[in-house]
Amino acid sequence: LIYSMLGHIPMLHSIFQFLSLIGIALLVLGFLFQYRICEKKEFIVYCCFFIVAIVTAIYNKNFAFIKLVLFAGSVRYVEMKNIVEFDLKLRAILIILLYVMSLIGFANDEVFYYNGIARHSLGFKNPNALGVAIYILVCDIIFMAGNKINVKHLIVIILIAGWLYSVARCRTAVYAILMLVILVILYKLFPNIYKVKFTKILFISVPFVLSYITYISVKGLINYHPAALELDKLLSTRLSAVATFVVRLKPTIFGQPIGETVAVSMDNAYGFVLYDLGILIAIILLLLTVKAFLKYFKTQNIMLCIIMLSFICYGLSEHLWLFIDYNIFMLAWCPNLVVRDYSTLDYK
């Protein structure tokens, strides 16, 4: 997390890159230590995922899935609540630190303009990176509050969203935060709606629906369909970026380093997973999503279901949350690789 948030600062890049490598080495040791404390079948599962991660990384030169497998395996006996609590404290400190550093000139406050309105990064690489960091901070708050979340929490979250919009104009991050608030309010007012089968099916179907929407929208954009053009405009031309890759590349089983082929940033998570991480990882993530939702609905960890759903919707315009470096909640996609039944934590 420290490297992902501070590593772009020139004077700190080398230091934190070295610390990041040390961290990866420790994760490998932690992963191997699982052989001594877990069942043989479970360790074989770890190794299978790790082998898949290595093979795909060779092709796409992206170490995101390797880090996820290593981290998930290493913290198997650590409660999710403890991990999120640490992330909340560290993330808050780093956000404040970056803001202070931008004020005194140690970090750049990158300013972008959208329709003539300034968007500040406040020390982050860009305003969208700030938006992702704040959004995940809100997820930390919601998860830690659990069933005890109340009006005070929601007021604080809404104020955070208002501040974020005022300084960075991160519309998607703000919309994702508001979505979290609405779903939490529904849960507090009508908790039984999260116990019916239809809600579970609805949550599970969302990633498939959004994947299909991305597909047909990009196809429509290529053919200059008016509806696709309007949706692309609404998403700040993020679908146009996906269309660029669709025209020039084909998705592969193990992925490909798309950044080396096309000089365009693909923010859409669905396009990024398919073209960069590859078809195999895309299928694995979809299956893990289904498995995670089934487990969390069964154990009624509704807050984690809500957080996962918001990330999935956020994926239409942002993919940074897919990286465990940025987003500790990627552990939620590994229900059997972390603590057994951590989703049954009692927040009442």
Side-chain angles (χ1 to χ4, degrees), residues 84-102:
V84 174
E85 182 180 10
F86 179 79
D87 185 78
L88 172 61
K89 294 176 181 178
L90 180 59
R91 186 175 299 274
I93 291 171
L94 292 176
I95 290 172
I96 295 171
L97 177 62
L98 267 174
Y99 176 59
V100 173
M101 291 176 70
S102 71

Side-chain angles (χ1 to χ4, degrees), residues 132-147:
V132 173
I134 296 295
Y135 165 73
I136 297 173
L137 180 73
V138 169
C139 291
D140 286 339
I141 294 171
I142 289 175
F143 185 82
M144 290 305 300
N147 289 340

Side-chain angles (χ1 to χ4, degrees), residues 269-290:
Y270 301 96
F272 178 81
V273 170
L274 186 62
Y275 279 86
D276 190 280
L277 300 183
I279 297 172
L280 181 58
I281 297 297
I283 293 173
I284 290 174
L285 287 176
L286 282 173
L287 292 177
L288 287 175
T289 301
V290 173

Side-chain angles (χ1 to χ4, degrees), residues 302-322:
I302 302 304
M303 288 303 178
L304 197 52
C305 289
I306 289 173
I307 290 171
M308 283 185 65
L309 182 67
S310 67
F311 275 115
I312 291 168
C313 293
Y314 198 4
L316 281 174
S317 62
E318 186 57 68
H319 77 262
L320 275 180
W321 60 268
L322 289 166

Side-chain angles (χ1 to χ4, degrees), residues 145-250:
N147 289 340
K148 293 181 180 179
I149 196 166
N150 54 41
V151 176
K152 292 181 180 178
H153 291 106
L154 296 179
I155 290 175
V156 170
I157 290 171
I158 291 173
L159 289 175
I160 290 174
W163 170 82
L164 177 62
Y165 186 77
S166 68
V167 299
R169 287 298 191 275
C170 296
R171 293 184 303 166
T172 311
V174 172
Y175 293 157
I177 292 173
L178 294 179
M179 178 184 176
L180 281 170
V181 171
I182 292 171
L183 291 174
V184 168
I185 291 174
L186 285 175
Y187 175 57
K188 295 298 290 185
L189 295 178
F190 312 104
N192 288 333
I193 66 174
Y194 288 94
K195 296 180 180 180
V196 298
K197 188 175 181 179
F198 173 77
T199 304
K200 178 170 65 176
I201 295 174
L202 180 63
F203 273 54
I204 291 173
S205 65
V206 168
F208 297 94
V209 172
L210 292 183
S211 297
Y212 183 67
I213 288 175
T214 299
Y215 170 75
I216 61 173
S217 297
V218 170
K219 296 291 285 186
L221 194 62
I222 293 173
N223 295 314
Y224 299 99
H225 193 283
L229 291 170
E230 285 300 316
L231 181 59
D232 184 46
K233 183 179 179 181
L234 180 65
L235 294 174
S236 303
T237 69
R238 285 178 171 87
L239 292 177
S240 293
V242 181
T244 301
F245 288 93
V246 170
V247 170
R248 301 186 185 185
L249 301 172
K250 291 183 179 181

